[in-house]
Amino acid sequence: MERFNNKKILLSFLLAIPFFFGGFIPNETMMPAFRMKKIVLDAGHGGKDPGNLGSKSKEKDINLAVTLLVGKYIKENMPDVEVIYTREDDSFPTVYERPKIANVNKADLFVSIHSNAAANKSAFGTETFVMGTKHFEANFDIVKKENSVILLEENYEENYEGFDPTSPESYMMFNLMSKAYIENSLTLADHIETQFRDRVGRKSRGVKQGPFYVLWTPSMPSVLVELGFLSNTEEEKFLMSQEGKEYMASAIFRSIKAYKEQVEIN
């Protein structure tokens, strides 16, 4: 009888544990909700690196103007988000330094803004890249062109551990990339291309993957945006205009805002 009573007491104690200590047992509803607090905006090229050249424009100038406008719109409309720039003037941060700025600041998002060019002057349209090697051969020319910026840097052989942006074999290292942020990166990239197409009326060439060095090392969702082709006369004219810059910047801003709302709900 005494043993039976002891068992009853023990059972009652075990059943009571969740009630007494429930407040100390973590569960999903008690976990702090994710909030996007910091974003790094990267204006591609700069300084001694002009980037692509149009008939009247330099890529570095268009990239910077649009990037600063994106930051302005975020600061005005999303006061809870801190904006950090990799450059705010005609300086030349290295490809190695740009994502490092994002990592050191523990940013929640990295957006690199560029402008395209092609030998075919009729080529036009926007495209947004995420880190990846899918359809590598088809995108190799643009990937090689963007990554070749590192050849302008001092001690690039040491900083990039022998990586040769002109050699397809060097890109085997990117197969070891982490896929931890690919889903969120794709979500933002899709928002951007949708905004370009539906709100600004640009031709969207779609969301693509590319082994860009600047997208390889950020420890957060990251995208590389191509605003259009400076080699196309009409597209260059649009991107050089103040209206064009504002339209493209507002599209990127709206995409970031929609992305923030989506990831914070989930």
Side-chain angles (χ1 to χ4, degrees):
M1 187 68 177
E2 185 178 348
R3 176 185 289 183
F4 177 75
N5 288 333
N6 288 340
K7 284 185 177 180
K8 282 180 65 178
I9 293 170
L10 179 59
L11 181 60
S12 299
F13 176 74
L14 291 173
L15 290 173
I17 286 177
F19 296 98
F20 286 115
F21 299 100
F24 301 97
I25 299 174
N27 58 58
E28 247 181 66
T29 61
M30 296 175 59
M31 297 298 286
F34 171 77
R35 291 289 180 265
M36 195 177 83
K37 297 178 180 178
K38 292 183 185 178
I39 176 171
V40 169
L41 299 177
D42 172 44
H45 307 278
K48 62 184 177 181
D49 170 28
N52 290 312
L53 300 175
S55 60
K56 300 178 180 178
S57 63
K58 295 178 181 178
E59 179 188 356
K60 66 175 183 176
D61 298 329
I62 290 174
N63 296 347
L64 180 60
V66 172
T67 299
L68 292 177
L69 279 172
V70 174
K72 175 176 178 285
Y73 297 150
I74 292 174
K75 290 175 182 178
E76 289 174 349
N77 298 282
M78 300 166 65
D80 57 328
V81 176
E82 179 183 355
V83 176
I84 300 167
Y85 299 103
T86 59
R87 69 180 181 101
E88 297 181 68
D89 52 26
D90 190 23
S91 55
F92 178 64
T94 66
V95 174
Y96 177 80
E97 291 169 333
R98 295 171 192 258
K100 185 177 179 181
I101 290 170
N103 289 336
V104 167
N105 284 282
K106 295 184 167 73
D108 300 304
L109 201 61
F110 178 83
V111 178
S112 188
I113 297 176
H114 293 253
S115 305
N116 221 330
N120 179 4
K121 305 296 183 185
S122 64
F124 70 103
T126 67
E127 47 195 12
T128 301
F129 286 85
V130 301
M131 181 63 207
T133 55
K134 188 176 181 181
H135 305 308
F136 170 66
E137 294 80 6
N139 297 324
F140 181 60
D141 284 345
I142 183 173
V143 169
K144 178 175 66 174
K145 185 162 52 177
E146 294 292 359
N147 285 336
S148 290
V149 173
I150 71 174
L151 302 178
L152 298 175
E153 302 172 18
E154 296 179 9
N155 303 320
Y156 73 86
E157 298 96 335
E158 180 180 342
N159 286 339
Y160 299 96
E161 301 177 346
F163 171 67
D164 179 1
T166 65
S167 169
E169 289 74 22
S170 280
Y171 289 86
M172 292 177 65
M173 64 186 283
F174 290 102
N175 289 324
L176 302 176
M177 60 160 285
S178 168
K179 298 186 183 296
Y181 305 105
I182 186 69
E183 186 176 339
N184 280 6
S185 299
L186 285 168
T187 296
L188 175 59
D190 185 64
H191 279 307
I192 292 172
E193 286 303 308
T194 299
Q195 285 284 335
F196 284 160
R197 183 187 65 240
D198 296 347
R199 295 291 295 272
V200 191
R202 311 308 296 170
K203 171 183 168 59
S204 171
R205 298 164 66 94
V207 174
K208 301 181 179 181
Q209 292 188 17
F212 295 94
Y213 205 99
V214 76
L215 295 182
W216 189 41
T217 52
S219 299
M220 72 234 30
S222 310
V223 298
L224 186 147
V225 181
E226 293 284 0
L227 299 169
F229 285 77
L230 300 182
S231 49
N232 180 288
T233 304
E234 288 302 312
E235 201 148 59
E236 179 190 27
K237 183 180 178 181
F238 174 76
L239 291 173
M240 286 182 67
S241 70
Q242 185 61 26
E243 183 182 65
K245 294 184 183 77
E246 290 174 357
Y247 279 155
M248 299 305 279
S250 62
I252 296 172
F253 156 71
R254 286 193 300 267
S255 302
I256 292 170
K257 186 172 185 292
Y259 167 84
K260 180 179 185 292
E261 292 170 354
Q262 185 173 344
V263 297
E264 289 185 349
I265 288 173
N266 295 334

